[in-house]
Every structure is written in structure tokens, then in C-alpha cells.
Amino acid sequence: KQTLLPLLREETSSFIFPCNPAVQRPELQHMVLELLRCIPLLLFLLFVCGLDHFIFSVLSIIQHHSFIEYSYQTSHHLSVNVMGTSLMAQLLRGTIGALNTSFDTELEISNLACLPQPTGMTRQQYLHTCLPLGALALLCLAQVYPFRLRRVIAAFYFPKREKTRVLFLYNKLLRQRKHFLHLQRGRVARQARQPPGVGTLLLQWCRRRWPWLRRCLRRRCTLCGTPETPQHRPCPSPDCVASYCESCW
């Protein structure tokens, strides 16, 4: 609870607040890892769709440019004419005349049955193929909100374990804050021993020369870097120009 241990600015970014609808930093890292796992699936899907389009293009070219058609036409006419009016001529006309035949042959042959008959995928089919991957990406984005319920469910079934976890977190924050203050004191001391730069001296001179510029030339907190507000407190040392926000002070 904030009344027990107010979080500093640096500590807030490492916690997840369940009532905040925005995706927070710890959740963002996990979400990015899940999205990176979808990249191999996306590459595989693009490869399969590209391979399908390539094979369809090759088969379509074969179908249009390898078509061969043969046309065969033939005519046969046999006619025997026996002249004369004698009995032998009439007999020959009755017997040999039956051999008179006439027929025309027209034959067309093609390799259409041997050619491939490719069918390309439509845009709707491509869309249906990509929909599962899109749904997976949306689930990666939306999974952060159901994951926030894990602690609530665990606290409901194991209240003693929840109390132990809260106490452990509280003591861990106290140790981290003590160590953090020790490091920051050393950093501020090293920074104070260094001579100020030309830009810092010019800024201080402008603030003393024209007080109305203080609204534009605002200083920042020495520890967290937040812009100066009326709640900022300057260092009580007369030779120090450092300024601290209320939480850091």
C-alpha cells in the first residue's frame, strides 16, 4: 500500500499495477518476447505462400505454352464405272459396283489431358490462412490482462503465502532503497567534486541575472532528473546548487 511504503520513481517502473489499463514495462518485455516467437511462424507462412504462388506460376506457364494439338484429315473415294449394255457389263456393274466406297476422316488429338490444371488461391483463402497467426499475435498483446489475475487467484487460495510474499517484497524494497541511497550519495559526491561546466555556469548566471527566465530554464532533480517544481528543495549548503524533488529529498 502506498500509505505504508510510497514507491519512488525508479521503483514504480518495476512493478505491475493491476488497475492500470496501459501495458507496463515488465509486461512489455514479456509481450515483446512472445511476439518475437511469432516471427518464425510468420516467416514460415510467408515462405509457404510464396512457394505456392511460385509453383502455381510455373504450372500455369507450362499449361499455356506446352499445349500441342494435331489435326488429321483424309478422304477416300473409290468408284468403278463399267460401260456397256451387254449382259457381262450388267453383271460386272452388279458385282464390282458394290465396291464403290467414299468416306472422309477428320481426327484431332491434343495433349490437354496430360497438362497440369493449376488452381491459384484466392485472396480470401490467403486471408483465412493468415487469420490464425493474426489471432495469435492479438492473444500475445491481450494476455497481459489475464496474467494479472494470477496473483489474485493465488492470494485467494493461499492467504498465508500471500502475506509472506508481501513481507518479503517490503523487506527487499527496504534493502534495495538503502543500497540505492548509498550509491546515489557516492555519485552525487563525485559529481560535486567535479568543476562545473561552461553551460552550467552560464545557466546559473542567467537565472541570477534574469529571474523571470527561471520558468524556462528549469533545473532538474539531481537524482531522478524530474523538472523543477515548487515542491523541489535546494541543497542547504550555500556553495551547492543542487536541487532535489520531494520524494528524493
Side-chain angles (χ1 to χ4, degrees):
K1 296 182 179 180
Q2 294 185 357
T3 55
L4 179 63
L5 184 64
L7 297 176
L8 298 178
R9 183 182 179 185
E10 292 79 7
E11 298 171 346
T12 305
S13 59
S14 60
F15 286 90
I16 299 175
F17 297 91
C19 298
N20 189 1
V23 180
Q24 301 166 49
R25 181 179 296 180
E27 298 173 331
L28 185 62
Q29 297 176 356
H30 183 72
M31 184 181 64
V32 170
L33 291 178
E34 293 294 333
L35 290 176
L36 290 177
R37 293 177 182 176
C38 296
I39 293 180
L41 296 177
L42 177 61
L43 295 178
F44 176 75
L45 182 61
L46 293 177
F47 171 76
V48 170
C49 292
L51 182 62
D52 172 77
H53 181 71
F54 173 74
I55 295 177
F56 168 74
S57 301
V58 172
L59 295 179
S60 180
I61 292 174
I62 294 175
Q63 180 189 15
H64 288 87
H65 296 276
S66 298
F67 177 73
I68 301 176
E69 184 177 10
Y70 299 94
S71 179
Y72 176 75
Q73 295 180 356
T74 182
S75 297
H76 180 74
H77 299 280
L78 177 61
S79 178
V80 179
N81 295 324
V82 180
M83 308 301 292
T85 58
S86 63
L87 179 62
M88 183 59 69
Q90 294 178 0
L91 182 61
L92 290 175
R93 277 195 298 267
T95 55
I96 301 177
L99 298 176
N100 295 339
T101 57
S102 178
F103 62 88
D104 297 330
T105 303
E106 185 176 352
L107 182 63
E108 292 184 358
I109 302 176
S110 65
N111 61 344
L112 183 61
C114 302
L115 292 177
Q117 305 293 331
T119 302
M121 294 179 61
T122 61
R123 292 185 178 179
Q124 187 175 5
Q125 291 174 338
Y126 279 116
L127 180 62
H128 290 168
T129 306
C130 298
L131 277 180
L133 184 60
L136 180 62
L138 290 178
L139 288 177
C140 293
L141 297 176
Q143 70 178 354
V144 294
Y145 300 105
F147 280 177
R148 295 180 183 180
L149 299 177
R150 294 180 297 179
R151 190 202 61 83
V152 179
I153 297 174
F156 178 78
Y157 287 101
F158 305 98
K160 294 184 179 180
R161 172 65 64 178
E162 176 68 12
K163 183 178 180 180
T164 304
R165 293 178 66 250
V166 171
L167 292 176
F168 173 78
L169 178 62
Y170 178 76
N171 294 326
K172 178 182 177 181
L173 281 176
L174 290 180
R175 291 192 301 267
Q176 289 180 353
R177 187 171 296 183
K178 182 179 179 180
H179 185 62
F180 172 77
L181 292 177
H182 178 71
L183 293 179
Q184 292 299 328
R185 283 172 182 160
R187 185 177 68 85
V188 172
R190 290 192 302 270
Q191 185 177 354
R193 286 192 293 267
Q194 296 177 358
V198 180
T200 305
L201 295 176
L202 181 61
L203 181 62
Q204 295 176 2
W205 181 81
C206 291
R207 288 173 58 89
R208 291 194 302 267
R209 185 69 173 81
W210 298 290
W212 55 273
L213 286 177
R214 293 181 180 179
R215 294 182 178 181
C216 302
L217 304 177
R218 294 190 300 174
R219 293 181 297 183
R220 294 182 175 272
C221 177
T222 308
L223 290 181
C224 62
T226 55
E228 185 180 15
T229 60
Q231 287 74 25
H232 276 57
R233 299 187 181 185
C235 181
S237 178
D239 298 333
C240 184
V241 294
S243 177
Y244 302 92
C245 62
E246 187 176 5
S247 60
C248 293
W249 180 255

